[in-house]
Amino acid sequence: MSFDVTTAGEWTYPELADAAKHLLAGETDRIANAANLSALVYQSLAEVNWVGFYFFDGTELVVGPFQGKPACVRIPLDRGVCGAAARTRTTQRVRDVHAVADHIACDADSRSELVVPLVRGDELIGVFDLDSPVPARFGADDQHGLETIATIFVESLG
């Protein structure tokens, strides 16, 4: 299936969710779905410089498929925005990452971040992470839309 993602920022979250459902339909492989979903979201949203996944290995978060500059490979659950999302199992929306004392700066250009935990039942799968070079890039609508996208990913795992 092919998607026309030609101009970043033109898609609404309901359109993006619909595209994600079609893109992941019938596939249960975590890596394949994370790779395609990272690319879809990265190409569809304006003012993002990193979109991707970190998967929980039982001890810490390990980088998975993503779009953007090279990333930190391992993140302990007691550090950073991704660690907080995984540890608390709640979405973290950060207006200015420089104001977070234990922020892990993989890309110095990142200024704001939104991290959605990926949870199935009681199982922590990992996190869905988005960074932006724009302070306060992510609002409540972004959070709701990206939580929906994260749910579509988790449901695709079967």
Side-chain angles (χ1 to χ4, degrees):
M1 178 169 274
S2 173
F3 295 97
D4 182 23
V5 185
T6 55
T7 306
E10 286 187 0
W11 290 37
T12 65
Y13 281 109
E15 291 169 333
L16 189 55
D18 189 53
K21 286 177 189 174
H22 285 90
L23 184 63
L24 305 185
E27 182 56 64
T28 59
D29 185 83
R30 168 173 87 163
I31 301 301
N33 285 348
N36 271 334
L37 197 55
S38 296
L40 176 68
V41 173
Y42 186 80
Q43 295 299 319
S44 301
L45 296 181
E47 299 178 321
V48 295
N49 61 330
W50 202 91
V51 174
F53 291 81
Y54 279 90
F55 293 121
F56 184 57
D57 72 355
T59 304
E60 59 193 349
L61 297 170
V62 181
V63 72
F66 67 90
Q67 298 283 304
K69 291 182 181 178
C72 304
V73 175
R74 296 182 180 273
I75 298 176
L77 297 191
D78 64 351
R79 290 215 41 234
V81 180
C82 288
R87 184 176 65 254
T88 65
R89 297 182 183 201
T90 59
T91 298
Q92 305 292 304
R93 184 172 34 139
V94 179
R95 297 174 58 81
D96 181 2
V97 295
H98 297 297
V100 176
D102 67 346
H103 175 252
I104 300 168
C106 296
D107 182 348
D109 293 335
S110 292
R111 292 296 310 274
S112 59
E113 187 169 10
L114 190 135
V115 184
V116 181
L118 304 169
V119 179
R120 179 176 43 200
D122 291 334
E123 176 192 9
L124 174 64
I125 297 167
V127 298
F128 181 42
D129 182 21
L130 291 91
D131 293 356
S132 173
V134 177
R137 158 64 179 87
F138 304 105
D141 289 343
D142 298 294
Q143 180 174 337
H144 177 71
L146 293 163
E147 287 172 340
T148 299
I149 300 295
T151 298
I152 292 166
F153 173 77
V154 171
E155 290 173 351
S156 78
L157 303 179

